Structure formats: structure tokens, C-alpha cells
């Protein structure tokens, strides 16, 4: 039976020069693709040739202040071999677009729409790329690190709550300021 590292090396060998060396952390293997524009092609080979028949998740990371700004993470699984593999790729804020993998796994549809809605990263050739959580016309991307915790006012009266949400304390809100991070954490504070 192959190991995750075996399959990662086979995938990297099929696309020579497009991957950084595999990284192992806590018995999980991550392969980083250096050309985000080829992610759909790589995923198609991972499914067809290596048996990664299930797309567990696609997530995004905002590396605010760094370039490229966004990392897109694909969690793949092979039921036959019971192997998990993580693929990562980066995309700049200027481009903010990479190919869809809905042609490989239909389950990518929802994940890609969520990333588009919350982070603003687009997926070219996606069959239905529109907002899935926020309303149409909402001008911001709420999971970006530069989006304020209290939200932003928007000019959409009678469509949705359009004032900044109050962050007036409460038992689950981290407090601003304080002498150190523990004083700000809600799980550490004593109820007042």
C-alpha cells in the first residue's frame, strides 16, 4: 500500500519543477504548487492517476501584508488507499484568480463560492460564481484580515442590516487593550 509521501512524490514527478519539496508535519504531507494557474490540471491527475477521489475541502488563507496575499488549500482523500494529501498554492491580490476544480470534483462548487464570497478570490470557468453567504452587491469580503471585526456600514437599505455591528463586550468577545493577551481573552477573564 502506498504512503502519502509516495503519492506526493509521484504527483510532483508528473509535474517536474512545479512543486516545492513535500513537507511533512504531524504525519500529514503538504505539496505546494508554484503555478496556481495549473491547479485544475494537477487535481485532475491526482484524481485520475493517483486515486484521490474525494475533495474534502478547499480553504483560503489571507496572508495580509505579504505577497502573494492569498493561499488556497486543497484537502484531498483517497478512499481506496485511505490517504490524505494537502495541496497548497498562492495567488496575488492583483490577480486574485485561479482555475476552478469543479470539472474534477463537483463538490468544489460550494467551497469555491464561499472563498469568492468571503475572500474575493475568483475561480475562472466556475459554473455559478456568485455570493453564497453575503447578499448580492455587498461590496466587501468579510474574512479578509483588513476587514474590521465590527463590520463596515453598507449602502443597501432594506436589504440587510447596514450599520456596523456593536462589539460591546460580552462573555465571548476579546477585549481591546489590556496588559497582555491573557487579560484580553474571554476564557481567562472573570465575569464582572
Amino acid at each position: 500500500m502506498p504512503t502519502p509521501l509516495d503519492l506526493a512524490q509521484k504527483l510532483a514527478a508528473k509535474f517536474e519543477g512545479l512543486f516545492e519539496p513535500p513537507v511533512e508535519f504531524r504525519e500529514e504531507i503538504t505539496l505546494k504548487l508554484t503555478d496556481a494557474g495549473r491547479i485544475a490540471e494537477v487535481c485532475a491527475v491526482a484524481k485520475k492517476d493517483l486515486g484521490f477521489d474525494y475533495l474534502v475541502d478547499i480553504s483560503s488563507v489571507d496572508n495580509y501584508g505579504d505577497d502573494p496575499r492569498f493561499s488556497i488549500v486543497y484537502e484531498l482523500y483517497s478512499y481506496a488507499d485511505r490517504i490524505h494529501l494537502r495541496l497548497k498554492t498562492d495567488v496575488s491580490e492583483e490577480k486574485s484568480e485561479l482555475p476552478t476544480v469543479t470539472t474534477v470534483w463537483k463538490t468544489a462548487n460550494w467551497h469555491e463560492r464561499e472563498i469568492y464570497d468571503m475572500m474575493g478570490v475568483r475561480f475562472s470557468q466556475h459554473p455559478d460564481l456568485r455570493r453564497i453567504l453575503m447578499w448580492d452587491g455587498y461590496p466587501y469580503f468579510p474574512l479578509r484580515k483588513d476587514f474590521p471585526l465590527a463590520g463596515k456600514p453598507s449602502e443597501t437599505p432594506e436589504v440587510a442590516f447596514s450599520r456596523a455591528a456593536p462589539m460591546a463586550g460580552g462573555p465571548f468577545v476579546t477585549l481591546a487593550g489590556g496588559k497582555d493577551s491573557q487579560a484580553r481573552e474571554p476564557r481567562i477573564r472573570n465575569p464582572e
Side-chain angles (χ1 to χ4, degrees):
M1 178 176 278
T3 67
L5 184 57
D6 293 338
L7 294 181
Q9 289 170 336
K10 282 183 183 179
L11 186 61
K14 288 181 182 276
F15 295 94
E16 191 172 334
L18 282 182
F19 285 101
E20 293 180 4
V23 175
E24 183 174 353
F25 180 72
R26 296 187 177 171
E27 299 180 16
E28 293 184 354
I29 300 294
T30 302
L31 265 180
K32 187 168 184 182
L33 177 65
T34 57
D35 182 359
R38 301 204 44 201
I39 190 66
E41 179 185 353
V42 167
C43 287
V45 168
K47 181 179 181 182
K48 182 180 178 225
D49 296 349
L50 301 177
F52 287 101
D53 47 359
Y54 180 52
L55 175 67
V56 179
D57 191 21
I58 306 173
S59 58
S60 57
V61 178
D62 183 357
N63 304 305
Y64 183 64
D66 292 342
D67 189 38
R69 180 170 180 173
F70 302 107
S71 295
I72 309 300
V73 183
Y74 298 79
E75 305 286 346
L76 312 182
Y77 188 75
S78 168
Y79 278 110
D81 296 323
R82 296 181 180 171
I83 290 177
H84 171 264
L85 178 66
R86 180 178 301 111
L87 297 178
K88 290 175 76 173
T89 193
D90 295 328
V91 63
S92 67
E93 185 174 12
E94 295 77 35
K95 187 171 182 182
S96 295
E97 184 173 86
L98 60 159
T100 184
V101 296
T102 56
T103 55
V104 181
W105 299 285
K106 295 211 182 289
T107 57
N109 189 319
W110 194 93
H111 300 297
E112 290 178 353
R113 284 181 62 190
E114 181 186 33
I115 292 168
Y116 164 69
D117 193 7
M118 296 288 106
M119 286 287 199
V121 176
R122 295 174 310 279
F123 293 87
S124 61
Q125 306 298 312
H126 189 282
D128 187 21
L129 193 62
R130 59 189 165 96
R131 291 209 181 249
I132 195 166
L133 299 170
M134 304 305 289
W135 60 93
D136 287 335
Y138 187 70
Y140 308 112
F141 304 105
L143 286 185
R144 287 187 175 186
K145 287 184 180 175
D146 54 353
F147 188 84
L149 288 176
K152 290 184 179 183
S154 59
E155 301 299 323
T156 53
E158 299 178 25
V159 173
F161 184 74
S162 62
R163 294 187 316 264
M167 297 291 285
F172 304 111
V173 176
T174 301
L175 298 176
K179 63 179 180 158
D180 58 21
S181 63
Q182 284 194 335
R184 294 187 296 268
E185 283 292 319
R187 67 178 181 261
I188 302 296
R189 288 195 316 264
N190 292 326
E192 298 174 31

